[in-house]
Amino acid sequence: MLLQALLRSPELRSVQTEGHILWDEFHPKPRDSDALDRSDVVDREREYVNLAVRIFARGRRFIDKTPENCLRVPYLDELFPDATFVFLTRKAADNVNSLIGGWRARPRFVTHRLPDPLEGIAPLDGRLWSFALVPGWRELRRASLEEICARQYVDCNEAVLAARAQLPLERWLTVKYEDMVASPLDVLRGLFDDLGVAWHEGAETFARELHARPSRTALTAPRPDKWRRENLEAIERILPLTEGTERRLGYATGA
């Protein structure tokens, strides 16, 4: 949703999908996790990525949205030391609920075939993993689906928080999902301004029509507290696992 809003600007370009064509060329799957660090960048990779970005960008500013990149901020900083990072946060209950829905929407969102199958997510095929493959995923082989999704929420957000602490704050912008859904026009105007991108009528139209047109990857339209109607008991079980991270993201837990 946020990527599509930004791409309404003629100043910005992307690969139009998630940027796996860039980040996976020198780090193909399967891997132990989707995490990458500065030391993982090799010279040929730097040349390849920069050439590919120039081709895609065509003289404009390049933007990418790949969720696995939550685990790769130092790697990205090594490749793009002038990059600005837009950190989109969300409350744990809603985010974990969304992840659960995505896991169940097989084969959509499947990212990995595991060497050691998960044993606690039946009737789903335990050989398949969806979304970001977090470090230490084998510890979750007997975990429930909601526990796996809670771990993804915690590990991805904590990785960004740790990386943010190591980089100048002026290179970071934070957007709360809840604010964007509640006031898309105000939030997007502010973000465009902070990024130094001219406001565009296409972005304004997108913002005004947001609630009538879900994003490409949304399974259902955005609604407050969907988790209470879709996965109430499962989400209530994992909230103690996510409350510390949620608090560090600036949310009052339980709200």
Side-chain angles (χ1 to χ4, degrees):
M1 184 167 60
L2 182 56
L3 175 67
Q4 292 306 313
L6 289 167
L7 287 177
R8 294 307 192 271
S9 167
E11 297 179 35
L12 302 173
R13 289 188 63 88
S14 78
V15 297
Q16 300 301 325
T17 60
E18 294 175 1
H20 303 290
I21 190 174
L22 300 174
W23 323 124
D24 292 349
E25 177 67 21
F26 285 82
H27 309 281
K29 300 171 182 178
R31 298 194 301 271
D32 284 339
S33 80
D34 283 322
L36 292 171
D37 207 342
R38 296 181 186 278
S39 59
D40 292 307
V41 178
V42 298
D43 288 340
R44 285 189 57 215
E45 177 178 18
R46 195 185 305 272
E47 295 171 5
Y48 165 83
V49 169
N50 278 278
L51 176 60
V53 165
R54 287 199 298 273
I55 292 172
F56 284 120
R58 299 178 188 176
R60 304 174 199 178
R61 194 170 176 183
F62 182 74
I63 183 170
D64 177 65
K65 187 236 41 162
T66 303
E68 290 86 343
N69 282 347
C70 291
L71 302 171
R72 304 169 181 167
V73 174
Y75 161 85
L76 294 171
D77 180 55
E78 182 68 20
L79 287 170
F80 304 105
D82 61 345
T84 297
F85 294 93
V86 179
F87 185 19
L88 181 65
T89 67
R90 193 177 184 185
K91 291 180 180 179
D94 294 309
N95 204 158
V96 172
N97 183 67
S98 179
L99 289 168
I100 290 173
W103 273 78
R104 290 173 176 163
R106 299 282 178 89
R108 196 177 178 189
F109 307 121
V110 169
T111 55
H112 293 266
R113 179 172 288 273
L114 300 176
D116 303 309
L118 304 172
E119 300 174 6
I121 65 169
L124 296 180
D125 185 346
R127 296 169 297 177
L128 304 179
W129 182 279
S130 296
F131 304 113
L133 186 64
V134 295
W137 64 266
R138 286 181 174 83
E139 302 165 5
L140 300 167
R141 287 187 59 203
R142 293 178 176 82
S144 66
L145 179 58
E146 61 266 25
E147 289 177 283
I148 292 172
C149 294
R151 175 73 170 267
Q152 289 178 304
Y153 177 86
V154 169
D155 285 8
C156 288
N157 281 297
E158 291 289 351
V160 176
L161 290 170
R164 187 173 67 178
Q166 301 301 315
L167 295 175
L169 285 179
E170 59 266 23
R171 293 182 58 196
W172 287 88
L173 299 170
T174 300
V175 175
K176 287 189 174 182
Y177 172 89
E178 296 79 11
D179 292 344
M180 182 173 172
V181 170
S183 304
L185 195 57
D186 292 339
V187 169
L188 286 173
R189 278 185 179 276
L191 181 59
F192 271 64
D193 187 55
D194 289 340
L195 288 169
V197 176
W199 184 243
H200 188 264
E201 62 181 12
E204 180 149 351
T205 299
F206 182 92
R208 294 189 184 280
E209 297 177 353
L210 180 63
H211 291 282
R213 181 188 3 88
S215 73
R216 294 176 181 177
T217 56
L219 296 172
T220 58
R223 294 192 308 272
D225 289 340
K226 273 196 295 186
W227 65 275
R228 296 185 185 276
R229 293 182 290 275
E230 296 179 354
N231 293 290
L232 176 62
E233 293 182 1
I235 299 299
E236 286 182 335
R237 282 195 295 271
I238 59 83
L239 288 179
L241 303 177
T242 60
E243 63 181 358
T245 297
E246 193 174 41
R247 190 180 302 111
R248 283 185 284 278
L249 292 173
Y251 293 101
T253 57

